[in-house]
Amino acid sequence: MSRDPLVITIGERTLALQSGDITKVPANAIGNAANSALRGGGGVDGAIHRAGGPAIMRELDAIRERIGKCTPGDAVATGAGDLPARWVLHAVGPIYRDGRHGEPEALASCFRRCMELAGELGARSLTLPAISTGVYGYPLDAAADVAVRTVVEILKAPETRLRRVTFVLFGKAPFEAFQRASNRLLGPTP
Ligand code: APR
């Protein structure tokens, strides 16, 4: 399923779109689409825990002890266990209702928090899944617009320490939705 990444240069930094399994794409930090209980699940959450191993859940157990739960729009960081990364950023996306109950703002906040956490940790590269577009039902094109707009805005900020952000899309439909969103925002990709 994986194909060459689509690479877009943004000043000194890079935004890439890649189709494939996020657990197989090396990066300093990997974003996860978690739930507020931080208890793992299916989808990309399941894939990350399967590939990363039990060390990740042990860290989430300690975080849950401390904070109870992670609210939609926020994210917490753990180590990455056996994944090709140093950290996993567990973001909790909004459950989509109709787009008029704060979903766009909460989804944008997920990507913002992942990039903030990555910067605080000193990560230079970050991969992100299409948060909320699976079980949580967020329509792909609407989610892609929010995701690309939020990440591009932060990549353009001079103080951002990240050098490269890659959206890793699980299949043709999400890849093409993100490609359309980046074309709309940044002009046609080569
Ligand atoms: N790599 C990259 N993307 C993936 C992978 C993978 N290995 N597996 C699934 N995806 C994609 C899905 O196709 C979808 O586009 O991740 C996107 C997000 O889908 P979900 O994983 O279902 O996440 P979300 O919609 O945010 O729902 C979160 O699902 O798994 C549970 O514990 C999780 O309760 C939480 C809820």
Side-chain angles (χ1 to χ4, degrees):
M1 173 177 25
S2 70
R3 47 198 280 187
D4 292 340
L6 201 61
V7 178
I8 304 148
T9 303
I10 297 174
E12 303 286 303
R13 304 185 181 101
T14 303
L15 172 65
L17 306 180
Q18 183 168 346
S19 68
D21 176 349
I22 201 168
T23 66
K24 299 203 170 24
V25 181
N28 293 156
I30 297 183
N32 182 23
N35 54 54
S36 51
L38 300 173
R39 287 198 182 282
V44 67
D45 202 3
I48 280 178
H49 284 284
R50 274 193 305 279
I56 298 175
M57 188 51 78
R58 280 199 294 273
E59 283 194 57
L60 285 177
D61 291 342
I63 291 170
R64 195 181 314 107
E65 277 296 304
R66 215 172 52 244
I67 67 171
K69 68 186 182 91
C70 182
T71 49
D74 201 357
V76 296
T78 65
D82 303 325
L83 288 163
R86 289 185 59 189
W87 301 285
V88 177
L89 308 178
H90 306 266
V92 180
I95 295 172
Y96 189 80
R97 291 174 60 181
D98 55 13
R100 292 196 300 274
H101 288 77
E103 301 98 318
E105 295 72 18
L107 187 61
S109 172
C110 281
F111 292 109
R112 205 172 296 120
R113 279 297 293 140
C114 283
M115 292 184 74
E116 279 168 6
L117 280 176
E120 287 161 15
L121 292 163
R124 285 286 179 275
S125 58
L126 168 65
T127 52
L128 292 167
I131 297 171
S132 281
T133 63
V135 167
Y136 283 0
Y138 212 117
L140 267 176
D141 280 294
D145 266 333
V146 171
V148 172
R149 187 180 310 283
T150 305
V151 167
V152 166
E153 180 192 312
I154 298 171
L155 283 177
K156 284 182 175 172
E159 66 275 11
T160 298
R161 293 169 60 188
L162 275 166
R163 312 306 303 163
R164 181 183 181 101
V165 176
T166 304
F167 283 110
V168 182
L169 293 322
F170 204 56
K172 193 163 175 285
F175 181 87
E176 290 177 348
F178 274 69
Q179 189 173 16
R180 284 193 296 274
S182 59
N183 287 348
R184 280 192 293 272
L185 192 67
L186 301 167
T189 40

